[in-house]
Amino acid sequence: ITDQKTRLIWQKQDDDNTRSRENALDYCENLTLGGNSSWRLPNIKELESIVDDSKVSPSINTSYFTDTKSGNSSNYISSSEYLLASNYSWTVTFNSGEASTAGHASSSYVRCVRGGQ
């Protein structure tokens, strides 16, 4: 999915698995999708850019991003670390579209991105 505003190309669906931050970074760096292998874990600003504030549960455009998890504890992890605690990363829950933090060992869903930066 290409976001015309940011020019980022997004993985349409997650693979239905949760991962720690380290495993999420590895997953995206080793992903080959659509003949491209330049995927990476998005930073928090990028991840927040696909939140659709006009929608709730999920707060994302489901025409483009199919099967997005939206339960209360269905976080998607970013590559951005929380500055006050380096063992935490920023996450987004598409239940409400809000950002929060989760420990690096916590399991979160992953949606990879390419382009931009």
Side-chain angles (χ1 to χ4, degrees):
I1 303 297
T2 301
D3 184 328
Q4 297 301 320
K5 183 177 176 185
T6 63
R7 306 303 302 164
L8 294 171
I9 300 168
W10 289 92
Q11 181 182 13
K12 183 175 178 131
Q13 291 181 241
D14 63 74
D15 69 350
D16 208 28
N17 290 304
T18 58
R19 294 175 170 82
S20 68
R21 181 177 186 272
E22 183 178 323
N23 290 338
L25 288 164
D26 288 342
Y27 168 74
C28 289
E29 289 172 7
N30 293 303
L31 179 65
T32 299
L33 187 63
N36 197 300
S37 60
S38 62
W39 298 94
R40 60 181 172 77
L41 192 61
N43 66 44
I44 190 61
K45 286 185 76 171
E46 292 167 334
L47 194 55
E48 286 179 312
S49 76
I50 61 173
V51 169
D52 185 340
D53 290 325
S54 70
K55 300 181 184 307
V56 176
S57 195
S59 55
I60 193 168
N61 187 325
T62 55
S63 298
Y64 298 124
F65 299 103
T66 58
D67 297 323
T68 298
K69 311 306 178 286
S70 62
N72 286 333
S73 59
S74 299
N75 294 326
Y76 283 77
I77 195 163
S78 79
S79 63
S80 302
E81 288 186 341
Y82 181 55
L83 295 178
L84 298 178
S86 63
N87 60 333
Y88 280 75
S89 291
W90 284 101
T91 64
V92 169
T93 176
F94 289 102
N95 181 47
S96 62
E98 293 187 14
S100 60
T101 58
H104 287 179
S106 299
S107 288
S108 300
Y109 291 100
V110 179
R111 176 158 283 132
C112 304
V113 69
R114 66 184 179 89
Q117 285 230 70

mmCIF file with all atom_site columns, all heavy atoms in Angstrom, residues 79-91:
data_model
loop_
_atom_site.group_PDB
_atom_site.id
_atom_site.type_symbol
_atom_site.label_atom_id
_atom_site.label_alt_id
_atom_site.label_comp_id
_atom_site.label_asym_id
_atom_site.label_entity_id
_atom_site.label_seq_id
_atom_site.pdbx_PDB_ins_code
_atom_site.Cartn_x
_atom_site.Cartn_y
_atom_site.Cartn_z
_atom_site.occupancy
_atom_site.B_iso_or_equiv
_atom_site.pdbx_formal_charge
_atom_site.auth_seq_id
_atom_site.auth_comp_id
_atom_site.auth_asym_id
_atom_site.auth_atom_id
_atom_site.pdbx_PDB_model_num
ATOM 1   N N   . SER A 1 79 ? 9.973  1.273  15.759 1.00 0.00 ? 79 SER A N   1
ATOM 2   C CA  . SER A 1 79 ? 11.413 1.215  16.029 1.00 0.00 ? 79 SER A CA  1
ATOM 3   C C   . SER A 1 79 ? 11.847 2.280  17.033 1.00 0.00 ? 79 SER A C   1
ATOM 4   O O   . SER A 1 79 ? 12.998 2.289  17.477 1.00 0.00 ? 79 SER A O   1
ATOM 5   C CB  . SER A 1 79 ? 12.201 1.401  14.727 1.00 0.00 ? 79 SER A CB  1
ATOM 6   O OG  . SER A 1 79 ? 11.939 2.683  14.177 1.00 0.00 ? 79 SER A OG  1
ATOM 7   N N   . SER A 1 80 ? 10.945 3.169  17.409 1.00 0.00 ? 80 SER A N   1
ATOM 8   C CA  . SER A 1 80 ? 11.272 4.290  18.299 1.00 0.00 ? 80 SER A CA  1
ATOM 9   C C   . SER A 1 80 ? 11.292 3.857  19.757 1.00 0.00 ? 80 SER A C   1
ATOM 10  O O   . SER A 1 80 ? 10.295 3.345  20.268 1.00 0.00 ? 80 SER A O   1
ATOM 11  C CB  . SER A 1 80 ? 10.261 5.423  18.130 1.00 0.00 ? 80 SER A CB  1
ATOM 12  O OG  . SER A 1 80 ? 10.234 5.875  16.794 1.00 0.00 ? 80 SER A OG  1
ATOM 13  N N   . GLU A 1 81 ? 12.420 4.095  20.402 1.00 0.00 ? 81 GLU A N   1
ATOM 14  C CA  . GLU A 1 81 ? 12.528 3.795  21.826 1.00 0.00 ? 81 GLU A CA  1
ATOM 15  C C   . GLU A 1 81 ? 11.949 4.939  22.644 1.00 0.00 ? 81 GLU A C   1
ATOM 16  O O   . GLU A 1 81 ? 11.985 6.095  22.233 1.00 0.00 ? 81 GLU A O   1
ATOM 17  C CB  . GLU A 1 81 ? 13.989 3.575  22.231 1.00 0.00 ? 81 GLU A CB  1
ATOM 18  C CG  . GLU A 1 81 ? 14.555 2.272  21.730 1.00 0.00 ? 81 GLU A CG  1
ATOM 19  C CD  . GLU A 1 81 ? 15.961 1.989  22.265 1.00 0.00 ? 81 GLU A CD  1
ATOM 20  O OE1 . GLU A 1 81 ? 16.640 2.926  22.715 1.00 0.00 ? 81 GLU A OE1 1
ATOM 21  O OE2 . GLU A 1 81 ? 16.345 0.820  22.209 1.00 0.00 ? 81 GLU A OE2 1
ATOM 22  N N   . TYR A 1 82 ? 11.427 4.596  23.792 1.00 0.00 ? 82 TYR A N   1
ATOM 23  C CA  . TYR A 1 82 ? 10.906 5.575  24.743 1.00 0.00 ? 82 TYR A CA  1
ATOM 24  C C   . TYR A 1 82 ? 12.106 6.190  25.447 1.00 0.00 ? 82 TYR A C   1
ATOM 25  O O   . TYR A 1 82 ? 12.920 5.482  26.058 1.00 0.00 ? 82 TYR A O   1
ATOM 26  C CB  . TYR A 1 82 ? 9.971  4.868  25.717 1.00 0.00 ? 82 TYR A CB  1
ATOM 27  C CG  . TYR A 1 82 ? 9.331  5.746  26.749 1.00 0.00 ? 82 TYR A CG  1
ATOM 28  C CD1 . TYR A 1 82 ? 8.612  6.871  26.380 1.00 0.00 ? 82 TYR A CD1 1
ATOM 29  C CD2 . TYR A 1 82 ? 9.421  5.440  28.096 1.00 0.00 ? 82 TYR A CD2 1
ATOM 30  C CE1 . TYR A 1 82 ? 7.995  7.671  27.322 1.00 0.00 ? 82 TYR A CE1 1
ATOM 31  C CE2 . TYR A 1 82 ? 8.805  6.237  29.053 1.00 0.00 ? 82 TYR A CE2 1
ATOM 32  C CZ  . TYR A 1 82 ? 8.100  7.352  28.656 1.00 0.00 ? 82 TYR A CZ  1
ATOM 33  O OH  . TYR A 1 82 ? 7.497  8.151  29.597 1.00 0.00 ? 82 TYR A OH  1
ATOM 34  N N   . LEU A 1 83 ? 12.270 7.500  25.368 1.00 0.00 ? 83 LEU A N   1
ATOM 35  C CA  . LEU A 1 83 ? 13.479 8.165  25.869 1.00 0.00 ? 83 LEU A CA  1
ATOM 36  C C   . LEU A 1 83 ? 13.686 8.032  27.372 1.00 0.00 ? 83 LEU A C   1
ATOM 37  O O   . LEU A 1 83 ? 14.820 8.040  27.839 1.00 0.00 ? 83 LEU A O   1
ATOM 38  C CB  . LEU A 1 83 ? 13.479 9.639  25.470 1.00 0.00 ? 83 LEU A CB  1
ATOM 39  C CG  . LEU A 1 83 ? 13.570 9.910  23.969 1.00 0.00 ? 83 LEU A CG  1
ATOM 40  C CD1 . LEU A 1 83 ? 13.515 11.402 23.680 1.00 0.00 ? 83 LEU A CD1 1
ATOM 41  C CD2 . LEU A 1 83 ? 14.814 9.287  23.383 1.00 0.00 ? 83 LEU A CD2 1
ATOM 42  N N   . LEU A 1 84 ? 12.613 7.895  28.144 1.00 0.00 ? 84 LEU A N   1
ATOM 43  C CA  . LEU A 1 84 ? 12.753 7.822  29.593 1.00 0.00 ? 84 LEU A CA  1
ATOM 44  C C   . LEU A 1 84 ? 13.078 6.412  30.095 1.00 0.00 ? 84 LEU A C   1
ATOM 45  O O   . LEU A 1 84 ? 13.435 6.238  31.256 1.00 0.00 ? 84 LEU A O   1
ATOM 46  C CB  . LEU A 1 84 ? 11.481 8.331  30.278 1.00 0.00 ? 84 LEU A CB  1
ATOM 47  C CG  . LEU A 1 84 ? 11.141 9.800  29.995 1.00 0.00 ? 84 LEU A CG  1
ATOM 48  C CD1 . LEU A 1 84 ? 9.843  10.182 30.687 1.00 0.00 ? 84 LEU A CD1 1
ATOM 49  C CD2 . LEU A 1 84 ? 12.272 10.709 30.434 1.00 0.00 ? 84 LEU A CD2 1
ATOM 50  N N   . ALA A 1 85 ? 12.947 5.428  29.218 1.00 0.00 ? 85 ALA A N   1
ATOM 51  C CA  . ALA A 1 85 ? 13.251 4.039  29.579 1.00 0.00 ? 85 ALA A CA  1
ATOM 52  C C   . ALA A 1 85 ? 13.669 3.312  28.303 1.00 0.00 ? 85 ALA A C   1
ATOM 53  O O   . ALA A 1 85 ? 12.819 2.942  27.496 1.00 0.00 ? 85 ALA A O   1
ATOM 54  C CB  . ALA A 1 85 ? 12.051 3.364  30.222 1.00 0.00 ? 85 ALA A CB  1
ATOM 55  N N   . SER A 1 86 ? 14.961 3.126  28.126 1.00 0.00 ? 86 SER A N   1
ATOM 56  C CA  . SER A 1 86 ? 15.476 2.597  26.865 1.00 0.00 ? 86 SER A CA  1
ATOM 57  C C   . SER A 1 86 ? 15.077 1.149  26.588 1.00 0.00 ? 86 SER A C   1
ATOM 58  O O   . SER A 1 86 ? 15.298 0.653  25.490 1.00 0.00 ? 86 SER A O   1
ATOM 59  C CB  . SER A 1 86 ? 16.997 2.735  26.811 1.00 0.00 ? 86 SER A CB  1
ATOM 60  O OG  . SER A 1 86 ? 17.582 1.963  27.842 1.00 0.00 ? 86 SER A OG  1
ATOM 61  N N   . ASN A 1 87 ? 14.483 0.481  27.553 1.00 0.00 ? 87 ASN A N   1
ATOM 62  C CA  . ASN A 1 87 ? 14.018 -0.885 27.301 1.00 0.00 ? 87 ASN A CA  1
ATOM 63  C C   . ASN A 1 87 ? 12.527 -0.910 26.927 1.00 0.00 ? 87 ASN A C   1
ATOM 64  O O   . ASN A 1 87 ? 11.892 -1.954 26.966 1.00 0.00 ? 87 ASN A O   1
ATOM 65  C CB  . ASN A 1 87 ? 14.293 -1.797 28.503 1.00 0.00 ? 87 ASN A CB  1
ATOM 66  C CG  . ASN A 1 87 ? 13.610 -1.320 29.764 1.00 0.00 ? 87 ASN A CG  1
ATOM 67  O OD1 . ASN A 1 87 ? 13.342 -0.135 29.932 1.00 0.00 ? 87 ASN A OD1 1
ATOM 68  N ND2 . ASN A 1 87 ? 13.334 -2.240 30.663 1.00 0.00 ? 87 ASN A ND2 1
ATOM 69  N N   . TYR A 1 88 ? 11.976 0.250  26.555 1.00 0.00 ? 88 TYR A N   1
ATOM 70  C CA  . TYR A 1 88 ? 10.601 0.372  26.090 1.00 0.00 ? 88 TYR A CA  1
ATOM 71  C C   . TYR A 1 88 ? 10.578 0.998  24.698 1.00 0.00 ? 88 TYR A C   1
ATOM 72  O O   . TYR A 1 88 ? 11.433 1.817  24.373 1.00 0.00 ? 88 TYR A O   1
ATOM 73  C CB  . TYR A 1 88 ? 9.772  1.265  27.026 1.00 0.00 ? 88 TYR A CB  1
ATOM 74  C CG  . TYR A 1 88 ? 9.304  0.552  28.263 1.00 0.00 ? 88 TYR A CG  1
ATOM 75  C CD1 . TYR A 1 88 ? 10.173 0.267  29.309 1.00 0.00 ? 88 TYR A CD1 1
ATOM 76  C CD2 . TYR A 1 88 ? 7.987  0.142  28.386 1.00 0.00 ? 88 TYR A CD2 1
ATOM 77  C CE1 . TYR A 1 88 ? 9.748  -0.401 30.441 1.00 0.00 ? 88 TYR A CE1 1
ATOM 78  C CE2 . TYR A 1 88 ? 7.541  -0.518 29.526 1.00 0.00 ? 88 TYR A CE2 1
ATOM 79  C CZ  . TYR A 1 88 ? 8.433  -0.788 30.542 1.00 0.00 ? 88 TYR A CZ  1
ATOM 80  O OH  . TYR A 1 88 ? 7.995  -1.451 31.652 1.00 0.00 ? 88 TYR A OH  1
ATOM 81  N N   . SER A 1 89 ? 9.598  0.597  23.907 1.00 0.00 ? 89 SER A N   1
ATOM 82  C CA  . SER A 1 89 ? 9.392  1.170  22.576 1.00 0.00 ? 89 SER A CA  1
ATOM 83  C C   . SER A 1 89 ? 7.998  1.767  22.493 1.00 0.00 ? 89 SER A C   1
ATOM 84  O O   . SER A 1 89 ? 7.081  1.347  23.202 1.00 0.00 ? 89 SER A O   1
ATOM 85  C CB  . SER A 1 89 ? 9.510  0.091  21.497 1.00 0.00 ? 89 SER A CB  1
ATOM 86  O OG  . SER A 1 89 ? 10.817 -0.355 21.387 1.00 0.00 ? 89 SER A OG  1
ATOM 87  N N   . TRP A 1 90 ? 7.840  2.718  21.576 1.00 0.00 ? 90 TRP A N   1
ATOM 88  C CA  . TRP A 1 90 ? 6.526  3.275  21.303 1.00 0.00 ? 90 TRP A CA  1
ATOM 89  C C   . TRP A 1 90 ? 5.735  2.296  20.459 1.00 0.00 ? 90 TRP A C   1
ATOM 90  O O   . TRP A 1 90 ? 6.282  1.640  19.568 1.00 0.00 ? 90 TRP A O   1
ATOM 91  C CB  . TRP A 1 90 ? 6.646  4.613  20.582 1.00 0.00 ? 90 TRP A CB  1
ATOM 92  C CG  . TRP A 1 90 ? 7.046  5.715  21.501 1.00 0.00 ? 90 TRP A CG  1
ATOM 93  C CD1 . TRP A 1 90 ? 8.285  6.254  21.642 1.00 0.00 ? 90 TRP A CD1 1
ATOM 94  C CD2 . TRP A 1 90 ? 6.194  6.403  22.416 1.00 0.00 ? 90 TRP A CD2 1
ATOM 95  N NE1 . TRP A 1 90 ? 8.258  7.243  22.599 1.00 0.00 ? 90 TRP A NE1 1
ATOM 96  C CE2 . TRP A 1 90 ? 6.985  7.354  23.085 1.00 0.00 ? 90 TRP A CE2 1
ATOM 97  C CE3 . TRP A 1 90 ? 4.843  6.308  22.727 1.00 0.00 ? 90 TRP A CE3 1
ATOM 98  C CZ2 . TRP A 1 90 ? 6.458  8.202  24.053 1.00 0.00 ? 90 TRP A CZ2 1
ATOM 99  C CZ3 . TRP A 1 90 ? 4.322  7.152  23.693 1.00 0.00 ? 90 TRP A CZ3 1
ATOM 100 C CH2 . TRP A 1 90 ? 5.131  8.091  24.340 1.00 0.00 ? 90 TRP A CH2 1
ATOM 101 N N   . THR A 1 91 ? 4.458  2.189  20.750 1.00 0.00 ? 91 THR A N   1
ATOM 102 C CA  . THR A 1 91 ? 3.547  1.329  20.004 1.00 0.00 ? 91 THR A CA  1
ATOM 103 C C   . THR A 1 91 ? 2.283  2.122  19.659 1.00 0.00 ? 91 THR A C   1
ATOM 104 O O   . THR A 1 91 ? 2.032  3.187  20.236 1.00 0.00 ? 91 THR A O   1
ATOM 105 C CB  . THR A 1 91 ? 3.136  0.083  20.818 1.00 0.00 ? 91 THR A CB  1
ATOM 106 O OG1 . THR A 1 91 ? 2.405  0.509  21.971 1.00 0.00 ? 91 THR A OG1 1
ATOM 107 C CG2 . THR A 1 91 ? 4.336  -0.748 21.226 1.00 0.00 ? 91 THR A CG2 1
#
